[in-house]
Each structure stands twice: as structure tokens, then as C-alpha cells.
Amino acid sequence: MKKRTILILTILAIGLLVWKWLACGYNPDKPTEFYPILTSQTERAKYEVFVISNPPCDTSKLRKVVEKYNFETWSLDTLKKYKALERIFYKETEYMTKDFREGDEYNPTFDNWDNIKDFRNHANDILIQSRFYLDGINGKKYYRIWINGDYDDRIDDMYMNRIEESFYDLDSFVCAKKKLYGIE
């Protein structure tokens, strides 16, 4: 009886893990692709929004993929130009697509009462955010990344993870990150 219970619990646990993996939709044989859907900038700050197609489910892999993309696409000149840079990455869904433009109408219909595309409708689709704060106190600068954990099950960012790295020399920091990810 005891062995049967253990066997049933093991099968259920394996089934849950397989279901979770399949529910995520990640295919390791396909590339993870980034689509810019919004850019806004001032003299001091730059803000960008992306949709990620085929994002990894594992938060550690997701962080690596996004950080590699960031350091491949943020030039040192761009990082030096602004005091703050922020990127938000959304998971591609039926309604949050690479063609998303806030203010347009959803197609297919999202809501019969208000079918206008709005980022607020997709708060649960946010996967990760990355920020550079280069106007630090006493020369100290910050790179922060928020990983919105288990994005299929999270409720109000209950599983949100924040990683912060501080540094003084931007050139050295970027060089170390590029070396870490095998860039250049």
C-alpha cells in the first residue's frame, strides 16, 4: 500500500512537471526572438518595450537570454548618452504580439466593451525588466533586472525576483558582461 502511494505521488509529480513544461510553450529548437514595439526617449532617459517570441520558461535561462540581447544591442555610446535606460519585455501571446501598438484595436477582439490596445491589459504578460541608472550617488551606478518569476502562476508579482549590480566604471562593467556572454 505504501509503495503504491509513493508510485502514484511520483507519477503525479512527473505529470505536473511535464504539464508545466508543455504549458509554457518554449521550444528549445527554435530561436528566442525580440521585437521592439515602443521606444521613447528624452535627453536623460530611454525607454523601450519588446515582445519576446519563444521565451525560456526557466527564469535563469530567461535572464541570460535577455541580458545577452541587451549587451549585444546597447552600445557603450548609448549607455553613456543617457542617465537611465529601461527595457520591458513581454511574452508573446494572442493579444500581445510583435505588431502591438497602443491605441489600435485588438484583432481578434479582446474585450467587447473596450477593444483598444492598452499596455495595462498585459501586466501579467511582463516577463522581465532591465534598467541602468547611470546618475548614481558618489559615482556609483546601478544595473537592475527584475524577473517576473513563474509567469503562468504568479499573482500580483508575488514571485518577482530583483537582481541589482552596482559599479563605478561603466566601460569595465560592460566589458565584463560582454565577456560573460561571449559577445565580440
Side-chain angles (χ1 to χ4, degrees):
M1 186 69 151
K2 198 175 193 181
K3 287 183 181 181
R4 183 188 293 175
T5 304
I6 292 172
L7 179 64
I8 290 172
L9 290 175
T10 303
I11 290 171
L12 285 173
I14 291 171
L16 182 63
L17 289 173
V18 168
W19 173 78
K20 185 70 177 162
W21 180 74
L22 291 173
C24 166
Y26 176 63
N27 184 346
D29 297 328
K30 291 184 178 178
T32 298
E33 297 179 292
F34 297 84
Y35 299 98
I37 58 172
L38 177 70
T39 299
S40 176
Q41 58 195 44
T42 65
E43 286 181 23
R44 297 182 49 85
K46 185 172 185 177
Y47 174 80
E48 297 173 296
V49 180
F50 294 84
V51 169
I52 302 178
S53 176
N54 194 36
C57 300
D58 179 83
T59 55
S60 177
K61 288 180 185 175
L62 177 63
R63 177 185 175 197
K64 289 176 184 174
V65 167
V66 168
E67 277 194 330
K68 183 176 183 192
Y69 178 78
N70 281 343
F71 286 99
E72 285 174 335
T73 58
W74 270 332
S75 71
L76 201 49
D77 289 340
T78 299
L79 291 172
K80 288 179 178 179
K81 180 179 178 180
Y82 300 102
K83 300 295 180 189
L85 290 101
E86 178 177 5
R87 285 182 168 175
I88 297 179
F89 299 88
Y90 287 84
K91 179 181 181 181
E92 185 176 41
T93 65
E94 180 181 9
Y95 298 104
M96 177 51 76
T97 65
K98 60 185 174 188
D99 301 320
F100 185 92
R101 298 290 174 261
E102 194 169 38
D104 290 352
E105 283 201 34
Y106 286 103
N107 186 13
T109 302
F110 177 79
D111 184 345
N112 289 325
W113 290 96
D114 183 8
N115 199 41
I116 303 300
K117 291 181 180 179
D118 189 332
F119 282 108
R120 293 175 294 182
N121 294 334
H122 301 281
N124 288 333
D125 297 330
I126 296 173
L127 294 173
I128 195 165
Q129 298 174 334
S130 55
R131 293 182 180 158
F132 261 103
Y133 293 108
L134 302 170
D135 199 14
I137 299 169
N138 299 327
K140 195 174 192 180
K141 299 160 179 47
Y142 300 94
Y143 172 68
R144 294 182 181 137
I145 195 156
W146 284 267
I147 304 167
N148 291 341
D150 191 352
Y151 48 82
D152 288 329
D153 295 329
R154 73 183 168 92
I155 299 168
D156 297 326
D157 297 328
M158 194 165 99
Y159 302 103
M160 182 181 263
N161 299 309
R162 185 178 95 178
I163 299 148
E164 178 176 293
E165 298 177 63
S166 59
F167 57 93
Y168 289 97
D169 182 21
L170 179 63
D171 293 352
S172 297
F173 181 77
V174 170
C175 184
K177 284 291 189 178
K178 285 186 174 192
K179 185 177 179 181
L180 174 68
Y181 292 110
I183 302 168
E184 288 184 279

